[in-house]
Amino acid sequence: MTSLPKIKGIYKRNFSLSKLTWFQTGGKAEILFIPKDLLDLQFFLKNIKNTSINIIGGGSNLLIRDGGIKGIVIKLGSGFDFVNLKKKYILCGASVKNINLSNKMTKRKIKGYEFLSTIPGTIGGSIFMNAGCFGREIKNLVKSVIVLDKKGNLIELDKNSINFKYRSSGINKNYFIVATKLKISKGNETNIRKIIKKFLNLRKKTQPNKVLTGGSTFINPKRKKAWKLIKDAGCENMFVGGAKISDKHCNFLVNTGSANSKDLETLGNKIRSKVFKKTGEKLDWEIKRIGVR
Ligand SMILES: Cc1cc2nc3c(=O)[nH]c(=O)nc-3n(C[C@H](O)[C@H](O)[C@H](O)COP(=O)(O)OP(=O)(O)OC[C@H]3O[C@@H](n4cnc5c(N)ncnc54)[C@H](O)[C@@H]3O)c2cc1C
């Protein structure tokens, strides 16, 4: 590793990334970097040389492999946790939790953010993934996305220049999302609260909670449901080591407590093979898998 720039934030060496993911598995980051604020992150990027850099958000869509991540892992902290209501847009930092943004919008009687109450993770990760549920997607709330490139240049991407698709923003992997400008649409607080309640109830009925999971494992193929393909292929009772398929939703993998990332990834790949053999359908991972095996 080349020498590290003198920053105002924090470096943590050999940091166990299992503490930062919903699966609670995975190896260590050679260096975890928590920048103090935007200027600190810019300074770091302008001065770091020849080192691989990854960024993580809330770790709710991530499987970090057991060998960990070489180089730098950036985790945005409190310096990126702000929601400022402007006249024509909401300026929202990338480390704001989805649920916190949704709560703030509810109090301000701004509609459209209800579904974010039910999706774990941060706004940065959710924009990168184009997170969505119940027929809504974050792309419909975005006016622009503010990123830093690998050299620390600040760039504002207009929504129309972003190739949002189902569970993908197409945003360059060398960009670090630092903030976003979001739409304001006035609503009625009682209605907003009703919608949130409805969404939360729907989720409770159909998806596991209080388990170690990464949410939907595979993207739904066109006009098909991944969970149904998994069920029809007879995968429901499959397990590898401490990794199993959720009893409540078979597109969710669960760490029963003793799984490592290899168990989870192997189980996922076994499901893919079986589904392909039985149905001819290729499932693509929605969960991002990073790091060394
Ligand atoms: C119980 C459960 C339910 C879920 N339900 C849903 C659902 O209904 N709908 C849905 O869409 N998803 C769902 N998910 C998946 C996940 O919550 C979303 O994808 C979420 O938006 C990921 O945000 P995150 O901050 O946790 O990102 P992470 O998991 O930390 O990262 C995901 C990806 O985004 C990238 N990334 C993160 N932050 C940044 C940044 N600042 N700049 C650039 N790239 C970044 C990472 O490098 C990684 O590639 C669920 C997950 C769980 C555990």
Side-chain angles (χ1 to χ4, degrees), residues 7 10 15 23 59 70-71 93 98-99 119 158 181 190 226 234 251:
I7 42 83
I10 304 168
F15 185 87
F23 274 126
K70 297 263 175 293
N98 292 337
I99 187 162
I119 303 181
D158 185 79
K181 290 182 183 169
T190 314
N251 194 22

Side-chain angles (χ1 to χ4, degrees), residues 20 22 54-62 75-76 94-95 98 118-134 167 171-173 175-178 203 207-209 211 213-216 252 286 288 290:
L20 300 181
W22 275 58
N54 280 279
I55 185 164
I56 63 170
S60 61
N61 202 58
L62 273 183
K75 166 95 181 153
L76 303 181
S95 75
N98 292 337
T118 73
I119 303 181
T122 62
I123 293 303
S126 297
I127 288 177
F128 186 79
M129 294 301 303
N130 187 24
C133 56
F134 308 120
R167 295 303 166 267
I171 289 179
N172 189 322
K173 282 187 186 140
Y175 284 170
F176 307 105
I177 300 168
V178 291
R203 211 170 255 276
Q207 293 179 8
N209 61 5
V211 293
T213 182
S216 293
F252 279 47
E286 177 173 329
K288 300 286 178 198
I290 52 173

